[in-house]
Amino acid sequence: MSQLVTGEAVVLQVRIARMPTRALACAIDFIIQMIVLGTLLGFLLGFLIVEASPALGAALAIITVLLVVVGYKVVMETLTRGKTLGKLILGLKVVRDDGSSIRFRHALVRGLLWLFVDFAPWFAASPGIVASLMNKQGKRIGDMVAGTVVIRERHQPMASPPLFVPGHLVMWAQSLELSRLSDDLANTCREYLARYMELEVSARIAIGDALAYRVGQVTAPAPPVHIIAPAFLSAVLAERRRRELARLATTRATYSTNPYAVPTGPFAPPNPQANPYAVPAGPFAPPNPYGAQPPPYTPPPPPQARPHVPAPETTKVNAQGWHAPGSEPDQWS
């Protein structure tokens, strides 16, 4: 896992493609290039037999080789924004150092240096392989000059760990000092919790205790009661996430066009009546220590009142259809 910083100062977590995967993608592209090159040279040979011009044949052969070897990579990476057929099969992509898509000039520089520098036949050793093995991001010389890096697009998604604070530790979590907790350490703890069930029991305990000791050195105060390492890490990360969300919600409301508008969506401020440390539901919810609980009691609905039916009119009217107010019913009979 590596980090790329965009032009807006946003840190992106990406997976860098290493040498074995890139070599396999290059081999697939090389096979495709040889098939295309053999087909074109076959048609060219038939043309040369008719024309019988050695100089013209040599010039056409050199141009054909350059177009296939260099033009294939340049055209494919330009049209697909950083992919060739080999990279597409293996889930790789060429991006710029800030994570954006490459353009024609980046593809052209990479293609030319791939042929004339990185894997040039006149070098005793391939400089591209040496540079890729020595660079922490696996860059060859063409990537360094063009300002690009090859990343992996397809990888197994990591499940989100269940971060929550136990009910009896809410007051302790709210009093934590987290200013010295770095992002790298927090991400390491989050990855440990996400892969907790995949680890062996001995490794699970050893790594958890080591991370809990490192987090305990940069946070204060200590938990009032003894808790296991995963629960301690989960509580610290949950409180850190709650404070980050509250800070983002405050910042979003400050720069809003309407100063009285309440932000909505994922950055909305927490509901003061809701419990911010509620145990998450779903497949990551921890088991209930009290066992299965009966469904909550729902009171029966109140009986509906009968509708009011007005009494029938008993006042009689005269032949003209009217009567004086207060007249007797039988006055016009």
Side-chain angles (χ1 to χ4, degrees), residues 19-287:
M19 175 54 65
T21 309
R22 296 183 61 178
L24 182 57
C26 184
I28 296 174
D29 291 330
F30 182 76
I31 293 174
I32 296 174
Q33 287 175 316
M34 290 300 102
I35 294 175
V36 175
L37 185 60
T39 304
L40 294 178
L41 289 180
F43 287 109
L44 183 62
L45 181 61
F47 172 75
L48 293 178
I49 292 176
V50 178
E51 294 292 333
S53 176
L56 180 61
L60 292 178
I62 294 175
I63 294 175
T64 303
V65 171
L66 290 177
L67 288 178
V68 173
V69 176
V70 179
Y72 165 79
K73 293 180 175 296
V74 174
V75 173
M76 288 295 298
E77 291 182 356
T78 303
L79 295 179
T80 60
R81 290 293 186 266
K83 298 179 183 179
T84 59
L85 293 179
K87 294 183 178 64
L88 186 63
I89 293 174
L90 297 181
L92 306 182
K93 183 180 180 180
V94 182
V95 298
R96 298 163 64 179
D97 287 337
D98 59 357
S100 58
S101 299
I102 65 172
R103 298 182 180 275
F104 172 76
R105 62 178 183 273
H106 306 95
L108 181 61
V109 172
R110 296 185 75 257
L112 292 177
L113 291 180
W114 183 91
L115 178 62
F116 295 106
V117 178
D118 286 323
F119 301 98
W122 46 79
F123 285 107
S126 297
I129 297 178
V130 177
S132 179
L133 293 177
M134 297 181 61
N135 190 275
K136 63 179 181 179
Q137 291 184 334
K139 290 186 175 185
R140 57 180 177 87
I141 299 178
D143 290 320
M144 297 179 187
V145 176
T148 58
V149 62
V150 182
I151 63 174
R152 297 182 59 182
E153 282 191 317
R154 293 199 302 264
H155 57 273
Q156 186 68 24
M158 185 180 298
S160 177
L163 303 179
F164 66 97
V165 179
H168 61 286
L169 296 178
V170 171
M171 298 300 296
W172 163 76
Q174 292 180 349
S175 64
L176 277 174
E177 172 58 37
L178 303 177
S179 60
R180 295 192 299 162
L181 181 61
S182 62
D183 294 338
D184 293 337
L185 181 56
N187 291 333
T188 303
C189 297
R190 187 175 291 106
E191 293 181 4
Y192 162 73
L193 294 177
R195 302 183 182 276
Y196 181 80
M197 301 304 299
E198 302 176 5
L199 301 175
E200 298 291 338
V201 177
S202 57
R204 185 186 306 171
I205 297 175
I207 297 176
D209 292 341
L211 290 177
Y213 175 78
R214 293 177 57 187
V215 173
Q217 293 297 314
V218 296
T219 58
V225 295
H226 176 73
I227 55 177
I228 60 176
F232 170 71
L233 298 177
S234 176
V236 173
L237 293 180
E239 174 61 22
R240 186 174 186 268
R241 181 180 61 182
R242 186 190 69 84
R243 295 182 185 181
E244 288 294 327
L245 292 178
R247 181 181 62 83
L248 291 175
T250 305
T251 305
R252 185 183 179 91
T254 302
Y255 291 97
S256 176
T257 56
N258 184 4
Y260 303 101
V262 179
T264 59
F267 299 104
N271 186 1
Q273 298 180 354
N275 184 9
Y277 305 102
V279 178
F284 297 107

Side-chain angles (χ1 to χ4, degrees), residues 300-306:
Q304 298 182 356
R306 295 182 178 180

